[in-house]
Structure formats: structure tokens, C-alpha cells
Amino acid sequence: MSLKVGDIIAFERTFTIEDVELFTKVSGDEGIHHLTPDEQGRLVVQGLLTATLPTKVGGDNNVLARTMTFEFLRPVFTGDTIICEVKIEEYERQENKNNRTAITASFLCRNQNEKEVLKGYFSGVIL
């Protein structure tokens, strides 16, 4: 995929109880809110599990991240569908640095009710 400044890449995912249980095992993040369902039977999705949405877009484009900033705006629950839009802010070939391409992107994630849940940016190089 050839990227350019201004491109917006969207990705969507619905989080399940199984996702949270697996991430709990992998991460060790065993906060009670990730283990005990609320009155609606939902678990709170770990913030870093939610943050896999913009990192997936980076991975799809072979980004080796150098910096990542996340601002968690509201909880995400199992059953929520999160839409993540990643916008390419900078994209520049670096002739003097192993001919790699530097990239900076911002992202905004919203739930199915259009409420913002996560925003931030990442920067790195394209491998």
C-alpha cells in the first residue's frame, strides 16, 4: 500500500469476553473490572487491548514504531464496536538514513455510539 500525507485508514473491531480473557492471560492485567462483569454482563476492555486498533494499522503497513501516545477518553466494554481512523500526518523518505521512510500518524477511535474512546499518535519508520 502506498501511503501519503492526508490518507485516512479505518479499522473496526468488536471486542468479546474471550478477547479480554486472553489479553488478561497475556498481559497479567487482572484488574477486577476486567474479571467481573457489570450488571449488563460486560467486562471493561483493557486500555492496551483497545490500543491494538491503531497498532494493527501500523503493522499492516510495516511501521516500526518509535513513539506512541495514547489518551484513553472513556471505557470500552465487551460488545462495543470500535472504529479507529488513522490519519497520515507526515510521510517522508529519508535518503540519509538507510533509505527508510519516516511516518507520523494521528488516530481517533470511536464506539458504535460515536463517542470518542481513544486518541493519540505514533511515529516511526516504514521497514
Side-chain angles (χ1 to χ4, degrees):
M1 175 177 205
S2 180
L3 299 174
K4 64 184 180 306
V5 172
D7 282 353
I8 296 176
I9 305 160
F11 178 69
E12 169 180 313
R13 179 176 180 180
T14 301
F15 288 97
T16 66
I17 289 175
E18 293 78 19
D19 293 332
V20 172
E21 290 171 344
L22 182 58
F23 195 80
T24 297
K25 288 179 186 175
V26 170
S27 69
D29 183 349
E30 297 178 342
I32 192 73
H33 48 293
H34 304 309
L35 304 175
T36 305
D38 66 6
E39 61 281 348
Q40 297 174 35
R42 307 172 304 173
L43 297 174
V44 175
V45 176
Q46 290 92 341
L48 288 179
L49 178 53
T50 305
T52 63
L53 291 168
T55 63
K56 187 223 184 287
V57 172
D60 286 350
N61 291 280
N62 297 315
V63 174
L64 178 60
R66 292 201 175 148
T67 62
M68 301 177 96
T69 301
F70 301 104
E71 184 177 350
F72 300 96
L73 304 170
R74 64 176 17 97
V76 171
F77 296 93
T78 53
D80 284 352
T81 298
I82 307 302
I83 300 96
C84 181
E85 291 185 343
V86 176
K87 181 178 180 184
I88 307 304
E89 303 289 347
E90 296 177 27
Y91 192 82
E92 181 180 340
R93 184 90 172 156
Q94 297 180 321
E95 301 296 334
N96 59 347
K97 295 186 179 180
N98 298 326
N99 291 324
R100 294 215 170 148
T101 301
I103 185 170
T104 300
S106 60
F107 57 85
L108 179 61
C109 301
R110 294 182 178 93
N111 66 18
Q112 67 277 1
N113 300 314
E114 296 293 319
K115 301 287 184 183
E116 295 180 1
V117 298
L118 173 66
K119 66 180 181 178
Y121 71 91
F122 63 83
S123 65
V125 294
I126 304 288
L127 295 178

